[in-house]
Amino acid sequence: MCAPRIDVRFACILSLAVALAVGPVFAQEPTEIEQMRQQLEGVEREGAALRRALRVLEQRLREVEATQMAPAPPPAPTAPPPAKPVEAPPPAPEAAQPESEEVKKKAPPSRAVEAVFQEEHALFGERRFTFEPALTYSRFDRTQLQLSGFLALDAIFLGSISVDEIESDIVTLDLTFRYSPTDWLQVRAGVPWIYRETNFQSGGAGGAASVVAEESVSTGPDIGDVRFGLSYRLLPETLSRPDVVVNLDVRAPTGQEPFGIEVVEVPGTQGNLSVPEDLPTGNGIWQVSSGLSFLKTVDPVILFANFTYFHNFDQNFDDISSDPGDQPGEVALGDSWEYGLGLAFALNERTSLSFSYSHRFINETKTKFKGDSFAKVIGSDANVAVLNVGVTYALTDRMTLVVNVGAGLTDDAADVQSTVRLPITF
């Protein structure tokens, strides 16, 4: 009976010892797992918070980018409100516009560009009235060889030889008035005052080759041919086409006509040199001209071109001969046409540099004495080509200085021509 009791007690004691030894281990395991679970939950909560913060930052970045590209974009009415309101950053100072300032889609042209429009094309705009005084100087120098005799054996000349030289200076003060009642129409009028002086020289006076006869003739200042005209903007300039303006001008015969001026012999030259008594300041006939002008702005270059046709009306005069005595007749001055092209550079806000070329073709003149038929005047046709270089400078917002120098490229053109203009707008 005792043996079983001892075994039971031993077994009980052994079980209690094992429980005391192993119990703390099993009791500790649930606590560590719980702690790890709590740490994991904490990390997950922090990750969720970071993800929310990341979404907020991304939303704010998109709003800032949209604000910079469009300073004041209106919110879409159907867009849902954001999960978390985010303040947009204030606009940059340079993007802010005063409420009273008008936002312009296109910058106004500079004074240099306006000056090119005014001189080479036509200027329409708010400044309705323009007064433009201009002073022009032209120089002509011609040398002619005159032979009086005949050729012997096709090589030897028998007779007299004289060399004639003509030097002519012309100074013109031109007063031009322009008025633009609308943005499409401009009317103008011009009054020229002309001073002319011509020096005639002829070698071989009196039969001596070493003797040179000389005589000068001058006239003026006197009024020239007054002109009236208008310009109408046919097509405004766009990205694909130029500005197109149609021009119409009328020239009235208010100056001294060139017909009927007598030619007299210079005393002491034995018929070797004859000069006119006076010099003309106009054509003596009515003239109408019409044409088109084109201008295209290709920043920083301005391209321009024009084409004009001149028609002269036949006119009757009491005297059309250079001989003494009145010889009435009719004059048909030859028509002419002209084209020009050029370009200008706007160097800065106030200065521009221009280059242009113009070419004019003049038909022969015909005259008819009373009772006769028309006959051509030999040598009356002309071919005039001029190369021009100009500079414009805006002295003020309403006054511009224009300087132009032209060089003649053909015998009929002036050797040199310089012009100074001073357009004043009101």
Side-chain angles (χ1 to χ4, degrees):
M1 295 294 294
C2 295
R5 291 178 182 175
I6 295 173
D7 295 336
V8 171
R9 291 177 179 177
F10 179 76
C12 291
I13 294 170
L14 181 61
S15 301
L16 181 58
V18 171
L20 294 173
V22 180
V25 176
F26 288 97
Q28 185 180 6
E29 181 176 357
T31 303
E32 292 180 352
I33 292 175
E34 186 65 20
Q35 292 178 354
M36 294 175 64
R37 287 178 179 175
Q38 292 177 359
Q39 293 177 358
L40 180 60
E41 292 175 357
V43 171
E44 289 178 352
R45 287 194 297 271
E46 293 177 356
L50 290 175
R51 285 192 293 272
R52 287 195 298 272
L54 180 61
R55 287 194 295 270
V56 172
L57 289 176
E58 291 176 348
Q59 178 68 18
R60 184 173 180 179
L61 177 61
R62 287 193 293 268
E63 292 178 355
V64 171
E65 292 177 346
T67 303
Q68 292 180 352
M69 295 179 63
T78 58
K84 182 178 180 181
V86 180
E87 277 191 12
E94 59 270 15
Q97 294 286 346
E99 294 182 359
S100 60
E101 182 179 354
E102 182 182 1
V103 179
K104 297 181 180 180
K105 296 183 180 180
K106 184 178 179 181
S110 64
R111 289 292 298 127
V113 174
E114 288 184 351
V116 174
F117 268 79
Q118 187 168 257
E119 295 302 318
E120 305 295 345
H121 192 56
L123 181 61
F124 305 92
E126 298 179 355
R127 297 177 180 177
R128 303 297 186 185
F129 183 74
T130 302
F131 169 64
E132 180 181 306
L135 188 65
T136 303
Y137 169 74
S138 302
R139 170 72 175 188
F140 293 84
D141 194 346
R142 300 290 181 268
T143 301
Q144 297 178 348
L145 177 65
Q146 294 185 356
L147 306 178
S148 178
F150 63 93
L151 285 174
L153 302 178
D154 295 333
I156 302 175
F157 179 78
L158 301 179
S160 61
I161 302 176
S162 64
V163 178
D164 294 340
E165 185 172 356
I166 302 175
E167 299 175 352
S168 181
D169 299 291
I170 303 175
V171 179
T172 304
L173 175 62
D174 201 342
L175 305 178
T176 303
F177 305 86
R178 299 187 181 95
Y179 177 68
S180 299
T182 68
D183 291 340
W184 298 84
L185 181 65
Q186 180 188 92
V187 295
R188 57 185 173 271
V191 181
W193 294 87
I194 300 175
Y195 172 80
R196 297 186 61 178
E197 182 177 359
T198 302
N199 180 264
F200 300 88
Q201 299 178 10
S202 179
S210 60
V211 178
V212 178
E214 181 181 14
E215 185 72 14
S216 294
V217 181
S218 62
T219 186
D222 201 355
I223 192 172
D225 288 345
V226 177
R227 62 187 182 279
F228 306 90
L230 59 86
S231 296
Y232 179 78
R233 173 177 279 169
L234 197 61
L235 294 172
E237 180 181 5
T238 64
L239 293 176
S240 59
R241 71 165 181 254
D243 196 85
V244 183
V245 172
V246 57
N247 304 293
L248 178 65
D249 288 271
V250 177
R251 186 181 295 268
T254 55
Q256 171 64 44
E257 60 195 39
F259 312 106
I261 298 177
E262 294 186 7
V263 176
V264 296
E265 179 183 340
V266 177
T269 61
Q270 299 181 3
N272 193 72
L273 179 62
S274 298
V275 298
E277 290 183 335
D278 199 2
L279 297 176
T281 60
N283 291 332
I285 60 174
W286 286 88
Q287 181 188 83
V288 175
S289 62
S290 180
L292 295 173
S293 61
F294 309 87
L295 189 143
K296 186 73 174 71
T297 304
V298 186
D299 193 30
V301 179
I302 303 172
L303 305 176
F304 52 88
N306 59 77
F307 177 84
T308 307
Y309 183 81
F310 302 85
H311 174 69
N312 301 303
F313 293 92
D314 297 353
Q315 185 77 27
N316 290 308
F317 296 94
D318 295 334
D319 186 13
I320 63 172
S321 174
S322 60
D323 298 330
D326 294 341
Q327 300 185 32
E330 185 177 355
V331 176
L333 202 64
D335 292 348
S336 60
W337 60 277
E338 179 181 25
Y339 73 91
L341 48 89
L343 54 87
F345 298 91
L347 302 179
N348 52 44
E349 177 69 19
R350 292 184 175 271
T351 310
S352 64
L353 178 66
S354 62
F355 301 90
S356 63
Y357 171 81
S358 62
H359 204 151
R360 187 169 181 176
F361 301 90
I362 304 175
N363 297 328
E364 285 184 331
T365 296
K366 299 179 181 179
T367 59
K368 181 180 68 171
F369 290 99
K370 189 175 182 179
D372 294 338
S373 58
F374 276 106
K376 294 182 179 180
V377 178
I378 299 176
S380 59
D381 58 334
N383 190 328
V384 182
V386 181
L387 181 64
N388 299 283
V389 179
V391 176
T392 62
Y393 179 73
L395 299 175
T396 65
D397 290 340
R398 296 185 178 275
M399 183 182 300
T400 305
L401 177 64
V402 182
V403 180
N404 186 85
V405 177
L409 304 181
T410 58
D411 293 338
D412 298 319
D415 296 324
V416 63
Q417 178 174 293
S418 58
T419 304
V420 178
R421 303 177 185 270
L422 194 67
I424 305 172
T425 57
F426 300 92

